[in-house]
Amino acid sequence: MGVYKTRFGELEIKDNEIITFPNGIPGFEELRKFAILNIPETRPIQWLVSLEDKNVSFPLIDPWLVLETYEVDLSKQDLDILQVEDPSDIVVWSIVTIPVGKPELATVNLKAPVVVNIKNGIGIQVILEKYELKHPIVSEKEPESQSDDRKSKEESGA
């Protein structure tokens, strides 16, 4: 167990909670040790925090919450790096970008998910060709049920 300074304050992280990215994360290749934080106030967003640079953290979301048909195809090389023995040990997250003061414009990077083998704590970021870097989290189209509710309230004078 170690105590690490993060943007969320000092945290005690057990050795088995540390995620090691053997190749770093693109743009942060020098950083290898991270942990996932679950903060109730930010759910469903979780945080990938660097244990080597207190200023580096990434908001993460389950990509299937954003796109139900999302698919991740890992290469043999990816599986070898992750040392996968059982596919159920793999967890996938996507990094979220939240513009300052405009959370409604948040996007999720479906093109480059963070993939972690939770059994051994090894992580990588992979590139998927068929997705975009900035997929909107909130659909621009209002869900039909909300629109219908509003119309019925307007019609009733409520």
Side-chain angles (χ1 to χ4, degrees), residues 35-53:
I36 301 288
L37 294 185
N38 293 300
I39 300 173
E41 297 81 24
T42 66
R43 280 192 188 135
I45 293 174
Q46 297 171 296
W47 296 86
L48 180 67
V49 296
S50 171
L51 302 180
E52 299 165 309
D53 183 336

Side-chain angles (χ1 to χ4, degrees), residues 15 17 25 27 30 32 41 47 50 57 72-73 85 99 102 110 116 126 133 139 144-145 149 153:
D15 291 343
E17 295 174 329
I25 292 177
E30 73 284 359
R32 307 290 169 103
E41 297 81 24
W47 296 86
S50 171
S57 64
V72 177
D73 294 319
E85 294 174 11
K102 297 183 179 184
L110 296 177
V116 175
V126 299
L133 282 171
S139 173
E144 303 244 350
S145 62
D149 289 346
K153 284 180 184 175

Side-chain angles (χ1 to χ4, degrees), residues 1-154:
M1 181 177 295
V3 176
Y4 298 90
K5 290 183 180 180
T6 73
R7 70 177 287 180
F8 297 97
E10 284 193 4
L11 302 173
E12 283 188 19
I13 306 289
K14 297 176 187 169
D15 291 343
N16 66 349
E17 295 174 329
I18 295 174
I19 299 168
T20 302
F21 287 78
N23 303 317
I25 292 177
F28 299 89
E29 290 84 359
E30 73 284 359
L31 302 177
R32 307 290 169 103
K33 292 169 62 175
F34 289 82
I36 301 288
L37 294 185
N38 293 300
I39 300 173
E41 297 81 24
T42 66
R43 280 192 188 135
I45 293 174
Q46 297 171 296
W47 296 86
L48 180 67
V49 296
S50 171
L51 302 180
E52 299 165 309
D53 183 336
K54 68 179 183 179
N55 298 310
V56 176
S57 64
F58 302 97
L60 302 175
I61 195 166
D62 177 335
W64 287 276
L65 293 176
V66 178
L67 184 65
E68 288 180 11
T69 59
Y70 190 64
E71 295 178 356
V72 177
D73 294 319
L74 298 176
S75 69
K76 169 96 170 78
Q77 181 182 2
D78 295 334
L79 295 170
D80 288 346
I81 292 169
L82 291 166
Q83 300 172 19
V84 176
E85 294 174 11
D86 182 348
S88 67
D89 293 334
I90 298 297
V91 178
V92 178
W93 289 286
S94 290
I95 295 177
V96 178
T97 300
I98 306 169
V100 176
K102 297 183 179 184
E104 69 279 4
L105 298 179
T107 59
V108 61
N109 180 350
L110 296 177
K111 187 172 202 60
V114 172
V115 182
V116 175
N117 182 335
I118 56 171
K119 186 173 183 179
N120 64 15
I122 296 175
I124 59 174
Q125 188 173 22
V126 299
I127 305 297
L128 305 175
E129 293 303 322
K130 67 181 187 178
Y131 295 105
E132 56 191 321
L133 282 171
K134 295 186 175 190
H135 184 86
I137 290 180
V138 178
S139 173
E140 292 180 23
K141 183 180 176 198
E142 187 178 89
E144 303 244 350
S145 62
Q146 287 181 352
S147 178
D148 291 345
D149 289 346
R150 195 173 68 226
K151 281 181 188 171
S152 62
K153 284 180 184 175
E154 289 171 358

